[in-house]
Amino acid sequence: MTDAPDYAAGFGPFDGRIWLNCSHQGPIPRVAADAARDAIAVKQAPFRLVEPGIFQEVPRRLRTSLARLINVAADDVILGNSTTYGLSLFVRGLEWHRGDEVLVVDGDFPAVLFPWLALRDQGVTIRKLTPRGAMVTAEDLAAELRPNTRVFCTTWVHSFRGSMVDVPSLAAACRANGTLFALNASQGMGTRPFDAAASGVDLVTSCGFKYLCGPYGTGFCWIRPDVRHALRPPQSYWLANLTADDLAGSFREELKPDVGARAFDVFGTANFFNFQAWNASVEYLLAAGLERIHTWDQSLVSRLIEGISSDRRWTISSPTAGPSRTTIVVFSAETPEQTSAAFQALREKGIFVAMRRGNIRVSPHLYNVAADIDAALGVLART
């Protein structure tokens, strides 16, 4: 790791602490903090709000950056505020019938499960698939799909298990059954390239505050255009139909027949406090290069796995090699008490990880360095 890129210089300061919990919250880079401060300055001097570009330029630039991130057209990006926002577009936009079914994976993250529960009042069944292994496979899915399965929903990278699914194979199984495939990509987006159109998914949604290093309350989604055209927009938003400049003259109070993906945007797309800073974060990641970030992240993961594996007191439950390995490492000690003691010891040394379902979860990202991993391993060795 002597030729490591100096990503860490773009983040912080961390005041001597070590943040290995990006699966919960990612820090914003310094360029994003500068953008946030500029946004606050604009609101402090509101005459700057009438300068050209604020209400149109902020969402336009963000759509463009996110489109580059997942290799789609900018006009097809939907601006949201969370992972759940994207899934709710299917919940509220599809025409549901009594007897329809949504298939989810048992043990998945709550954000993937809860949005569908509201459909029970319409006679829609929410059924759980129990995979044979750590993650659902195409074979598991094909065996569970039924003629009335309207939507299958799962996560790309499992928050609790640290495993990654084979998205194209799951998409192929869904297509063969005529089932829509909705994917939560929050724990993988920003750690490696993702081509939405080529993946075969019908909807991909992600928050922006984990590995995309944006402010909390950010998110986006993409819906395959032919599927999106069949959805009912959940609301009517004036900025999707007019611009702020239109208010200077006469305008018609009518909805445009087709405003594309903007019809599905969250309200407040000129949210420059969040979106201006988040766009700076996404542009920073794109400039660094997702392939290079992936290589760096995996070097950190390899270092962590090697260190943990050398101590027989620990058992790693997340993948240690192969295509399902991610930036999340999940492990535990022989007893819950020992695991909890290790977690507390790390926290006392200013090393922040997560406890999830009785396991320690470590999730580094590009702002971490080899010394961060070594410090965590040192605490574990002394626990």
Side-chain angles (χ1 to χ4, degrees), residues 6 10 18 23 56 146 152 182 217 220 246 271 318 361 374:
D6 192 16
I18 297 173
S23 285
Q56 285 78 44
R146 299 171 178 172
F152 168 64
F220 79 104
D246 290 331
N271 177 3
S318 55
R361 185 187 71 184
D374 293 344

Side-chain angles (χ1 to χ4, degrees), residues 310-324:
S310 65
D311 189 335
R312 294 184 178 180
R313 294 177 303 157
W314 309 108
T315 298
I316 301 176
S317 54
S318 55
T320 58
S324 63

Side-chain angles (χ1 to χ4, degrees), residues 115-352:
W116 310 104
L117 300 183
L119 293 172
R120 287 173 172 169
D121 291 343
Q122 300 180 45
V124 176
T125 299
I126 315 301
R127 185 164 61 91
K128 292 182 179 180
L129 179 163
T130 302
R132 291 171 295 176
M135 295 295 282
V136 62
T137 65
E139 291 74 21
D140 294 330
L141 179 58
E144 293 288 340
L145 289 172
R146 299 171 178 172
N148 65 328
T149 307
R150 291 284 305 282
V151 174
F152 168 64
C153 180
T154 192
T155 56
W156 184 21
V157 174
H158 201 290
S159 180
F160 303 140
R161 298 172 184 161
S163 302
M164 183 172 63
V165 298
D166 182 347
V167 174
S169 69
L170 295 178
C174 286
R175 281 197 305 274
N177 194 65
T179 297
L180 296 173
F181 182 15
L183 183 71
N184 163 27
S186 293
Q187 296 289 14
M189 194 65 67
T191 68
R192 63 183 68 208
F194 184 84
D195 190 320
S199 70
V201 301
D202 296 291
L203 179 151
V204 59
T205 183
S206 176
C207 66
F209 53 85
K210 297 183 186 292
Y211 293 94
L212 290 179
C213 299
Y216 189 74
T218 54
F220 79 104
C221 76
W222 173 86
I223 301 175
R224 190 172 296 280
D226 61 314
V227 175
R228 190 188 73 227
H229 291 322
L231 297 180
R232 293 189 305 272
Q235 68 249 337
S236 298
Y237 183 40
W238 76 272
L239 267 178
N241 291 271
L242 299 171
T243 69
D245 295 336
D246 290 331
L247 304 181
S250 60
F251 55 88
R252 301 183 68 179
E253 296 173 352
E254 295 180 358
L255 296 176
K256 292 182 178 178
D258 183 15
V259 294
R262 288 180 300 158
F264 298 89
D265 283 341
V266 70
F267 292 145
T269 51
N271 177 3
F272 44 91
F273 279 175
N274 273 351
F275 284 178
Q276 185 165 301
W278 187 28
N279 182 66
S281 295
V282 176
E283 288 183 343
Y284 179 87
L285 296 178
L286 290 170
L290 290 180
E291 285 285 5
R292 294 179 69 237
I293 291 172
H294 174 62
T295 299
W296 177 245
D297 284 356
Q298 287 304 304
S299 71
L300 296 172
V301 168
S302 293
R303 194 179 191 94
L304 179 62
I305 289 174
E306 182 180 353
I308 294 173
S309 299
S310 65
D311 189 335
R312 294 184 178 180
R313 294 177 303 157
W314 309 108
T315 298
I316 301 176
S317 54
S318 55
T320 58
S324 63
R325 193 176 92 168
T326 67
T327 55
I328 298 175
V329 179
V330 181
F331 63 96
S332 60
E334 293 180 353
T335 68
E337 292 77 16
Q338 292 171 324
T339 304
S340 179
F343 174 77
Q344 292 300 327
L346 289 165
R347 180 63 62 89
E348 288 170 4
K349 292 297 183 180
I351 302 173
F352 292 83

Side-chain angles (χ1 to χ4, degrees), residues 50-68:
V50 301
E51 296 174 0
I54 293 293
F55 279 87
Q56 285 78 44
E57 189 65 14
V58 167
R60 186 198 67 78
R61 288 186 64 192
L62 180 57
R63 285 185 214 277
T64 300
S65 299
L66 293 171
R68 289 177 56 205

